[in-house]
Every structure is written in structure tokens, then in C-alpha cells.
Amino acid sequence: MSEPPISRGFHGRKKPEGPTNRVPPGQHLVSDFPVLSAGPTPQTKLEVWSFTLEAGGKLLKEWSWAEFEALPQTKIKTDIHCVTTWSKLGTNWQGVTIDDLLAACGLSEPPAPYVLAECDGGYTTNLPVEDLIEGKAMIATRYEGQPLEPEHGGPARLLVPHLYFWKSAKWVRGIQFREGDEPGFWEALGYHIYGDPWREQRYAGD
Amino acid sequence: MPEIDVAPSKQRRLLWRTAEVKEIIEETPRVRSLVLAVPDWPGHLPGQRIDVRLTADDGYQAQRSYSIASAPEAPQLMLTVERIQDGEISPYLTAEVRPGDRFGLRGPIGGFFAWTSAVGGPLFLIAGGSGIVPLMAMLRHRAAAKSTIPALLLYSSRTFEDIIYREELDQFAARDRELEVVHTLTRTQPVGWSGGARRIDRDMLADFGFGAKLHPKIFVCGPTRLVETVALSLLELGHERGLIKTERFGPTG
């Protein structure tokens, strides 16, 4: 399709929805926080929750909930963009940055160029490691000052706000560092391998 | 790992196509179906979605995702759209649009929340409101394929008038011994109503649903609150997590 068809009688919103330089192409702003996930919400109890980092099939470190909570905490205020076209501005999160996790393992740099994040419920997502470091991502455990609710990914979710929000995997339990970039759950089902909202990389090939 | 029953479609680029509205069907006071002509439509699986993109004459664009309502066997693609208050696209699609109008469309999207008769059953469908749409594509496919796989739809609507596809569901159920349709109405019920009269809960799922021992393939679609309640109740009733697939409706205004 070369020229998009004009939809007769469609005028869109006359008033601007907000700061348009913060809304990527094809997105619209919402004030609530929609929930999208593929199956039942896991209800993992904090007593059995753990978080692991692995590289090359070897365990680097494992934290219990209490140990994880004792790691350095970082707060971030950021915009989030879901591939289903909603965006939400100025959301407040708290958690542990990937930089601080690596430091807690005694690593000065990541052990491999890609990661696969693994979650309760079997969900996975793949990312280049450079999108996780230097303050760009965290394992978030608080949203707007409150413990993260299960339906929004609690007790902990990956937060990579500069990519479409499916990359911010809910119910995350570990990160595997890998030499290759292998598609995760939605990526294997036709979603984009990288998912940059500013380049509108929604689906494979975009 | 959740079970993936349906092979993902090939990783081809999804092209924007021009859909033309051929027919409009008033389903309920707030819901309309649009029958579309889409040139070179590649086909879809029941349960998949598309993205719609509207373009104003000044070039302004807006897009949203909608479930496909038609079976793959149907000659033309059908969308069913609920009017969302303060929405930007649904008011256009449910009030302004008329036959001959055109808009951008691409898909199909999503291969996880999808069912074909090849997947097998029993097929256990649970819908709230316009969450019926992708499940209706499954039932229409099941009928078109003349499948005898046992199927059950538990469908929650606010009022009798809000039941989408009511007559078609009645017809399906009347002529198909392997299909059962159970309605529940959460706000008001007509005089003599014999269906459910409350929100879907664990007791209702236990009383009317397939038992966990039958390992039904379960699809739940509706507002977040309904989906959360139903999915947790199904787990409590012993259904396998990997057989429960959900789609939660956020605002798709």
C-alpha cells in the first residue's frame, strides 16, 4: 500500500493529547494501566521467590526476596509504550538496576552480548545486553510507591522502558546471558525481535 | 513453557492493506460488526487480531487492535467493535463509518490465542462482553469445519440486549448437540430468564464448565477483572496452566 487511504469522516482528536514529542508514532495516551498477558497470572509467594543470573548455563548468583530487597534501590520516572498502541507518561518505578545486579556478582561488565529473561508462567523475552546496562533497565518491585501487583507483573518485572512494553517481562525470575540473540515468547510468535517504539518495530520485519 | 498449539505464522512482514467496508451489522446498541473487503488477505487463525489505522484528510493517523470475528472459511473479513466512551477510533467505526469507506488494516497478529479444529478439544470458551469476538471466530470456524469437538461457551453480558451474536449463538446451539452455550446476565435479567444472573465465578465454572480431567483447551477473553477471576478459579479447579489462554481487553478506544 503506497498511499494510506483517507477515511472519510475521520478527523481524530482535535485537541492534542499531551506532549506529542513523548508519544511514539501510532501510539495514544491512556491514564489507566491496561493489563495484557497470555495466561493466568502467577501468584508466586515471596517465601519461594528467587532471582537468578546465569551465563553460559552456569549460575552466577541467586537471591532470595529478602536478599534482593537489600540490594541498592533505584527510582525511575519514565514513559511506557505498549505494542497494542497505548502509551502512559510519567510512571514511577523502583527496583534494582541490571548494573547493580552485575556489580553484586563482582562483574565489571556483562558476560555476554545478549540476554533471555525468564519468568514464572514460562514467558521469555530476548534483549541485547546494551539495552539493559548504564541505567537503562531494572528489575522493578514497586510501582507508584507500592509493591507491584501480580497482574502488573509483581512481585518483580523487568523494566526496559525505551522498548515496547512486552520486553518489560512480567513475573521475571532470572536473566540468562547468552552469546546469541534467540527469540523469546512473543518474538517467536511474530513480534519484532527488538521492539523500538520510535521506529514502530511492532511485528517481525517492521 | 506454555503449550503452543498453533504453529506461528511465517515471519513475513505485515503489510498495510486497504480495507473497504461492504456491510454494517448492528449487533447491540453499542456494538457493530463491519464486513470488509481486504485485497489479498493472507488468511488467519480463529482468535487472531488485526491493527486498524485511520487516516484523516489532513494526514493525522490513529491505530488500534481489534479481534477478527469471522472464521477463516468466511468469504470476507469481519470485525466487531464496541463503542468506548471518549474513544478515538471506536466511535468512528461504530457510528460514522458507512459502506464504501476505507481504512488501513494489517494482520493477522498473534498466534498464541488461537484455536483450530486440528488442535482438538474439548473447547472451553469463557467470554465477558465484547471478549466474545475472538471466541466467536473459533465457534464459527468449528461450525464451518463441521467439527464435532465438544464445545462450551460461558458468556457474561450486562443485559439481554448487550448479548452480542445472540441469534447466531442460539442457532449454533440448537443444531449442534456437541455445543452448549450458557449465558449469564450481570445487571438485569428479563422475566423468566433461565440463565445465570451474576458474574462468572468459581461455582459457575464448576457447575457448567468442562472438568479438569477432560483437559479442555480453554480460552478466556474479556475485561481484566473477569479474566483474572476466571483464570485463577480455573487453576483452583485443577485445570492446567498451560491449557488456559487469556486475552485481556484494555481500552481500545
Side-chain angles (χ1 to χ4, degrees), chain B residues 110-189:
Chain B
F112 182 70
F113 194 86
W115 181 84
T116 69
S117 55
V119 171
L123 178 63
F124 186 7
L125 307 175
I126 301 140
S130 58
I132 185 68
V133 177
L135 309 185
M136 191 62 177
M138 297 178 192
L139 288 177
R140 285 171 166 163
H141 157 70
R142 182 180 166 281
K146 298 190 165 45
S147 166
T148 55
I149 289 169
L152 187 148
L153 169 66
L154 184 52
Y155 181 16
S156 175
S157 305
R158 279 180 276 205
T159 71
F160 188 74
E161 289 71 32
D162 288 312
I163 299 175
I164 306 168
Y165 314 129
R166 181 168 45 83
E167 287 179 9
E168 190 176 349
L169 287 170
D170 285 349
Q171 288 165 13
F172 279 170
R175 66 168 191 239
D176 184 344
R177 291 173 51 184
E178 297 300 332
L179 172 65
E180 191 177 355
V181 176
V182 177
H183 289 285
T184 185
L185 300 177
T186 57
R187 285 203 186 156
T188 56
Q189 300 82 30

Side-chain angles (χ1 to χ4, degrees), chain B residues 42-74:
Chain B
H44 65 277
L45 299 171
Q48 287 189 298
R49 302 181 286 109
I50 49 88
D51 281 356
V52 165
R53 185 171 69 185
L54 302 185
T55 304
D57 52 13
D58 63 359
Y60 174 84
Q61 292 187 322
Q63 72 182 57
R64 299 290 188 277
S65 277
Y66 292 101
S67 291
I68 298 169
S70 48
E73 293 85 353

Side-chain angles (χ1 to χ4, degrees), chain A residues 1 5 7-8 10 13 28 35-41 85 121-122 151 188 191 200 202-206, chain B residues 1-2 13 16 18 49 51 55-56 63-64 86 88 92 96 98 101-102 106 109 112 225 228 241 246 248:
Chain A
M1 191 168 89
S7 300
R8 180 208 54 80
F10 175 67
R13 286 213 167 88
H28 67 283
V35 171
L36 298 156
S37 34
T41 297
T85 73
E151 66 188 51
Y191 285 79
E200 219 175 340
R202 298 179 195 275
Y203 312 118
D206 278 357
Chain B
M1 192 66 207
R13 181 164 157 72
W16 284 105
T18 297
R49 302 181 286 109
D51 281 356
T55 304
Q63 72 182 57
R64 299 290 188 277
D86 305 323
E88 183 175 27
Y92 177 82
E96 175 67 29
R98 59 191 191 214
D101 286 344
R102 302 186 306 155
R106 71 171 180 162
I109 299 156
F112 182 70
R225 193 44 53 204
E228 290 291 319
R241 177 177 292 276
T246 62
R248 294 153 170 90

Side-chain angles (χ1 to χ4, degrees), chain A residues 27 81-86 164-166 191 201-203, chain B residues 51:
Chain A
Q27 297 290 110
H81 311 290
C82 178
V83 69
T84 62
T85 73
W86 59 263
Y164 279 127
F165 213 45
W166 90 79
Y191 285 79
Q201 293 172 335
R202 298 179 195 275
Y203 312 118
Chain B
D51 281 356

Side-chain angles (χ1 to χ4, degrees), chain A residues 132-174:
Chain A
L132 298 185
I133 57 172
E134 292 165 2
K136 292 196 279 291
M138 66 163 53
I139 305 299
T141 56
R142 306 262 188 305
Y143 173 69
E144 301 299 344
Q146 300 296 319
L148 191 57
E149 289 179 33
E151 66 188 51
H152 290 306
R157 80 181 292 165
L158 184 60
L159 180 69
V160 195
H162 65 285
L163 300 179
Y164 279 127
F165 213 45
W166 90 79
K167 293 285 184 182
S168 294
K170 294 175 181 180
W171 315 303
V172 69
R173 292 290 299 274

Side-chain angles (χ1 to χ4, degrees), chain A residues 19 22 126 161:
Chain A
R22 284 168 63 183
N126 60 300

